[in-house]
Amino acid sequence: MIVDFHTHTYPDKIASKTLELLVSRSKTKPASDGTLAGLQHSMAQSGVDISVVLPVVTAPHQVERINTVAKAVTAQFTGSGVWSFGGIHPGNDNYKEILNGIKSAGLKGIKLHPDYQDAMFNDIRYKRIISYATELGLVVVVHAGVDIGLPSVTHCTPDMVCEVLDEVQPERLVLAHMGGWNLWDEVLAKLCGRNVYMDTAFSYGEIAWLSGAEHRWKLASEEMFLKLIRAHGADRIVFGTDSPWTDQKRAIKDIQALPLSDEDKKKILGENALQLLGLPDAE
C-alpha cells in the first residue's frame, strides 16, 4: 500500500480563498483544488491508498470545529481512503482534555505548526502537549524548518528538536520536510540517527515552478536526500507530499526512481506509515 502521511484539505466554502492567500504568501502553485474531493481524485489518479490529512490550528478557538471535521472524515475510513489527524494549539490550556478527546475518537495523532501558531518548538507548552500525546500513544507531526510562506523566523530548528527529544523523549514524533525544510545540512549533522521519524513532504523531486530562476527556494538535491535517508535509516522515513502543494503521482515516481533497494522503497512509501498508524496491513 502507498500512504501519503502529509496532506492538507480545506473546507469547500473557503478552499479557493485559502489557496489564493497561501499562494500569495509563498509564490507556490497547488497541484489540486485543496478540497477533500480534490484529494480523493488525486489519490485515484496516483494510486495512493491512504492519505493522512494534517489540520493546522492557527488559533485556540478553532480546535473544536477542526476536530469535529477530523472525526467526521475519519469515521468514513474503511481501510483505505482519507484519514485525518486532530489539531491542537499551544494556547489551549485544556490540552489534556483535547488530547483525550482526540484519542477517544479514534484519531491516530495530531499536527503542530509552530510557524502558524507563533510559538517556538521548544516552548514548554509544546513539550507538555507532546509528553501527554506520547503517554496516550498518539503520533505527533510537526512542521520542521523554514516555512516557505512565513520565512522570516524559523520556529522549529534542529537544535529545538534536539532539546525536545532530550527532555520529552517522544516515541512517535514525525518531523515534516525531512527533519527541517531548507536546513538539511543541520538535520544531517544533528538529527539523523535520533529516535524520530521524518517525512519526505515537499523536500525532493521535480516541482516545475520551484525550479524557475526567479524563485529563491530549492528542494534537497538527490545527493542530499539520499544522504539523509541513509544516515537516518529507511525504517524511520515516511512518504509525504504536502498535497495540494505537490502532485502525488509525481512524488511517488520520484521516490520510486531513487537508487534505493525495493525493500527500502516499500518501507518509505507505505510500510513505515502503516506501522505508525497501527493499521492491520502493517503486519
Side-chain angles (χ1 to χ4, degrees):
M1 295 183 75
I2 295 179
V3 181
D4 186 343
F5 211 80
H6 189 142
T7 71
H8 301 284
T9 61
Y10 311 99
D12 291 354
K13 291 182 179 180
I14 65 169
S16 178
K17 289 185 177 180
T18 300
L19 289 188
E20 287 179 9
L21 174 63
L22 294 174
V23 166
S24 69
R25 285 181 177 177
S26 60
K27 311 305 178 188
T28 51
K29 293 182 181 179
S32 72
D33 66 4
T35 65
L36 178 61
L39 175 60
Q40 291 169 327
H41 176 74
S42 174
M43 292 170 65
Q45 295 294 311
S46 62
V48 171
D49 297 288
I50 298 172
S51 284
V52 179
V53 172
L54 303 176
V56 177
V57 178
T58 59
H61 72 270
Q62 297 174 342
V63 165
E64 183 176 357
R65 174 178 55 81
I66 285 175
N67 286 338
T68 296
V69 173
K71 293 170 188 177
V73 169
T74 301
Q76 301 176 36
F77 184 82
T78 58
S80 63
V82 178
W83 191 293
S84 183
F85 275 16
I88 194 167
H89 192 280
N92 291 124
D93 294 330
N94 61 332
Y95 68 94
K96 287 188 176 182
E97 178 185 345
I98 293 169
L99 292 173
N100 283 330
I102 287 170
K103 176 69 174 181
S104 64
L107 305 185
K108 300 290 187 178
I110 58 172
K111 170 67 184 289
L112 305 175
H113 201 309
D115 295 284
Y116 279 91
Q117 295 175 334
D118 195 24
M120 297 301 180
F121 186 57
N122 57 350
D123 189 304
I124 185 61
R125 297 172 298 171
Y126 277 139
K127 292 176 182 176
R128 289 169 179 160
I129 289 171
I130 296 167
S131 178
Y132 194 61
T134 298
E135 187 177 328
L136 294 176
L138 294 171
V139 178
V140 178
V141 180
V142 60
H143 174 95
V146 178
D147 185 278
I148 199 171
L150 297 169
S152 58
V153 178
T154 302
H155 290 77
C156 181
T157 66
D159 284 332
M160 294 177 195
V161 173
C162 286
E163 181 179 324
V164 172
L165 292 176
D166 290 340
E167 293 185 15
V168 182
Q169 299 181 356
E171 297 175 2
R172 293 180 175 85
L173 178 63
V174 181
L175 305 176
H177 314 298
M178 289 305 286
W181 200 84
N182 221 41
L183 300 176
W184 293 295
D185 285 325
E186 285 188 62
V187 172
L188 187 63
K190 299 174 181 179
L191 292 177
C192 284
R194 298 295 303 266
N195 184 28
V196 68
Y197 290 83
M198 300 178 186
D199 81 32
T200 67
F202 206 79
S203 298
Y204 167 75
E206 181 63 33
I207 300 178
W209 61 263
L210 195 57
S211 62
E214 74 284 355
H215 209 291
R216 62 184 174 131
W217 302 113
K218 293 182 180 180
L219 299 184
S221 66
E222 180 177 304
E223 180 184 8
M224 174 56 77
F225 195 68
L226 288 170
K227 278 184 180 180
L228 291 169
I229 292 173
R230 289 166 176 158
H232 194 56
D235 290 342
R236 288 177 290 180
I237 306 290
V238 292
F239 174 66
T241 65
D242 213 4
S243 176
W245 305 109
T246 303
D247 179 70
Q248 288 183 311
K249 187 174 183 178
R250 176 74 257 179
I252 292 169
K253 289 182 178 179
D254 289 333
I255 297 295
Q256 291 175 332
L258 288 170
L260 297 170
S261 68
D262 289 341
E263 180 181 359
D264 283 349
K265 291 176 187 177
K266 288 179 180 178
K267 289 178 181 178
I268 293 169
L269 286 171
E271 290 179 1
N272 295 338
L274 290 171
Q275 290 179 347
L276 269 174
L277 293 170
L279 296 178
D281 288 296
E283 299 176 358

